[in-house]
Amino acid sequence: MEFSFDLQHTLSAIIDAVCIGALGFVVAYIKKGCSFFKALVEKIEIMSRALRHITGEKLENRMTECLDRGHIRPTEAKSIDDLYESYHDLEGNSHIDSLHERYKALNIKKD
């Protein structure tokens, strides 16, 4: 019985084994990472909904104050406009849009 050693085939088998092992490690890491990122995305969506709700309430209160007063103060106009833009970036609803239309019809003046 003769023993022959084929270096090329041996190295090829070793490289294949290392690649398969590394690939298994990468797949396991990605699966773990995917569940982490999925949980992270869910948390971000929850925070986004909460922020949209809080922003909507704040806008409604501030614009209603202006409507009750009959005008917009110069110091509040920009912050309400910025808040309204952020609310829309968060995909806010049309209730605030209709209130905003009435708010925009008000004049800006000092008390």
Side-chain angles (χ1 to χ4, degrees):
M1 211 172 177
E2 234 178 86
F3 177 74
S4 71
F5 181 75
D6 184 355
L7 184 60
Q8 184 178 358
H9 284 97
T10 304
L11 286 176
S12 179
I14 291 170
I15 291 170
D16 288 348
V18 168
C19 288
I20 290 170
L23 183 60
F25 175 77
V26 169
V27 168
Y29 182 79
I30 289 172
K31 283 183 178 178
K32 184 178 181 181
C34 285
S35 64
F36 169 77
F37 287 117
K38 182 179 178 186
L40 184 61
V41 166
E42 288 173 0
K43 296 285 186 198
I44 291 170
E45 287 172 348
I46 290 167
M47 291 174 17
S48 179
R49 283 193 307 269
L51 184 57
R52 182 174 52 241
H53 179 74
I54 292 167
T55 304
E57 280 187 355
K58 184 74 169 176
L59 270 169
E60 184 174 12
N61 291 341
R62 296 200 53 203
M63 288 189 293
T64 300
E65 286 175 9
C66 294
L67 289 165
D68 290 346
R69 185 183 327 117
H71 67 274
I72 304 167
R73 294 180 183 136
T75 56
E76 64 192 354
K78 175 146 178 40
S79 67
I80 291 175
D81 289 342
D82 290 346
L83 199 57
Y84 180 74
E85 184 177 324
S86 296
Y87 181 73
H88 266 280
D89 290 343
L90 292 167
E91 300 175 0
N93 66 25
S94 61
H95 165 69
I96 296 297
D97 288 341
S98 61
L99 189 61
H100 188 256
E101 288 302 315
R102 292 176 36 219
Y103 159 83
K104 289 301 279 183
L106 295 173
N107 292 321
I108 297 175
K109 67 179 184 178
K110 293 184 180 183
D111 282 333

